[in-house]
């Protein structure tokens, strides 16, 4: 048993190194948009992160199964910490089944419904990533999707881990843990907010002031 795993949603190696030092980081999720934003070599970025955390998602960019399988074979050889990220499409399902047979770890991205979650899990995904923030953005309740998936999971013996993706604020992380989600991926700016509480700052200030009075 473990407490919900925390991943950093980034392609910034320095940010991963910084948060890894806190002793709470279980992995990283990258995607093509995040990698493009950093402007560094993709393989180099993934390898640097693999040295820091035990699970790094590297997304395929092919859209046909043959191309995806080829990229999955390639990425999985880079490092044992790589999880090949595959989009939730029919071609993606074929790729998941292929990876399952070959023992390649996978993360299925762009999940927006319980049925997509079930299909990806049945095809052999190691991880599925429902995107909650993007559902919130279009006026749906993203966390409701996580509740529905976790309820479905509770009836069966799926090994597939549910990763709460597209988180936007600290409450998302706390809510994901209440629902028993296995993993939550968190952008760097939101991760920075997780250790903070004004009462902690206020309390520490008072302790130090009182100590100062007696210690001179
Ligand atoms: C997850 O793997 C994705 O990289 C990510 O959570 C997407 O989040 P966004 O909706 O903020 O782009």
């Amino acid at each position: 048993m473990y407490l919900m795993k925390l991943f950093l949603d980034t392609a910034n190696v320095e940010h991963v190194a910084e948060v890894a030092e806190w002793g709470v980081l279980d992995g990283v999720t990258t995607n093509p948009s995040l990698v493009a934003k950093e402007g560094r070599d993709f393989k180099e970025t993934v390898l640097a992160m693999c040295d820091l955390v035990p699970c790094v998602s590297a997304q395929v960019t092919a859209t046909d199964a043959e191309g995806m399988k080829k990229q999955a074979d390639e990425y999985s050889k880079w490092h044992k910490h790589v999880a090949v990220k595959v989009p939730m499409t029919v071609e993606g399902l074929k790729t998941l089944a292929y990876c399952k047979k070959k023992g390649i770890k996978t993360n299925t991205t762009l999940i927006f419904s319980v049925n997509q979650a079930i299909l990806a899990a049945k095809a052999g995904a190691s991880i599925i990533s429902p995107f909650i923030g993007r559902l919130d953005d279009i006026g749906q309740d993203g966390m409701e999707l996580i509740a529905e998936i976790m309820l479905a999971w509770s009836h069966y013996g799926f090994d597939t881990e549910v990763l709460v993706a597209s988180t936007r604020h600290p409450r998302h992380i706390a809510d994901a843990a209440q629902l028993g989600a296995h993993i939550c991926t968190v952008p760097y700016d939101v991760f920075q907010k997780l250790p903070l509480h004004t009462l902690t700052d206020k309390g520490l200030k008072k302790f130090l002031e009182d100590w100062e009075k007696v210690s001179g």
Side-chain angles (χ1 to χ4, degrees), residues 190-209:
V190 179
F191 221 116
Q192 292 293 325
K193 293 177 188 163
L194 299 183
L196 308 178
H197 199 288
T198 48
L199 290 179
T200 305
D201 296 343
K202 202 175 156 196
L204 183 58
K205 191 166 172 278
K206 178 84 169 75
F207 283 151
L208 295 177
E209 280 167 5

Side-chain angles (χ1 to χ4, degrees), residues 9-10 29-31 34 57 59 85 107 109 129 131 133-134 137 163-168 185 187:
D9 199 20
T10 188
T29 47
T30 69
N31 66 42
L34 292 170
S57 286
Q59 188 166 332
K85 215 189 211 188
N107 174 4
T109 191
S129 291
F131 277 40
R134 293 192 194 186
D137 290 345
L163 181 156
V164 179
S166 184
T167 54
R168 301 266 195 264
T185 193

Side-chain angles (χ1 to χ4, degrees), residues 2 5 96 100 106-108 111 116-130 149-150 152-154 156-163 180-183:
Y2 57 84
K5 293 181 204 169
L96 292 173
K100 173 77 177 175
T106 51
N107 174 4
T108 315
I111 298 264
Q116 288 181 323
I118 291 169
L119 290 177
K122 284 183 69 78
S126 322
I127 299 171
I128 54 151
S129 291
I149 293 172
M150 295 315 294
W153 256 230
S154 72
Y156 306 100
F158 284 165
D159 290 333
T160 307
E161 292 182 296
V162 177
L163 181 156
H182 306 96
I183 310 168

Side-chain angles (χ1 to χ4, degrees), residues 44-207:
E44 226 175 73
T45 301
V46 170
L47 286 177
M49 289 176 170
C50 283
D51 285 340
L52 297 165
V53 288
C55 183
V56 177
S57 286
Q59 188 166 332
V60 297
T61 48
T63 51
D64 63 304
E66 286 323 300
M68 288 190 206
K69 289 177 193 172
K70 231 168 122 193
Q71 287 183 314
D73 280 332
E74 187 198 335
Y75 297 175
S76 63
K77 284 187 196 110
W78 287 353
H79 198 288
K80 64 177 193 295
H81 293 172
V82 168
V84 178
K85 215 189 211 188
V86 176
M88 177 52 230
T89 59
V90 169
E91 296 300 293
L93 290 175
K94 295 177 197 169
T95 309
L96 292 173
Y98 169 85
C99 288
K100 173 77 177 175
K101 267 192 216 120
K102 292 198 72 180
I104 298 172
K105 198 173 164 190
T106 51
N107 174 4
T108 315
T109 191
L110 295 167
I111 298 264
F112 292 97
S113 75
V114 178
N115 289 339
Q116 288 181 323
I118 291 169
L119 290 177
K122 284 183 69 78
S126 322
I127 299 171
I128 54 151
S129 291
F131 277 40
I132 61 166
R134 293 192 194 186
L135 282 171
D136 291 349
D137 290 345
I138 60 160
Q140 292 183 30
D141 184 352
M143 203 52 78
E144 187 56 37
L145 172 62
I146 304 302
E148 288 180 5
I149 293 172
M150 295 315 294
L151 179 62
W153 256 230
S154 72
H155 298 306
Y156 306 100
F158 284 165
D159 290 333
T160 307
E161 292 182 296
V162 177
L163 181 156
V164 179
S166 184
T167 54
R168 301 266 195 264
H169 52 73
R171 191 66 230 171
H172 274 154
I173 291 81
D175 287 346
Q178 311 303 305
L179 294 170
H182 306 96
I183 310 168
C184 196
T185 193
V186 184
Y188 178 75
D189 62 317
V190 179
F191 221 116
Q192 292 293 325
K193 293 177 188 163
L194 299 183
L196 308 178
H197 199 288
T198 48
L199 290 179
T200 305
D201 296 343
K202 202 175 156 196
L204 183 58
K205 191 166 172 278
K206 178 84 169 75
F207 283 151

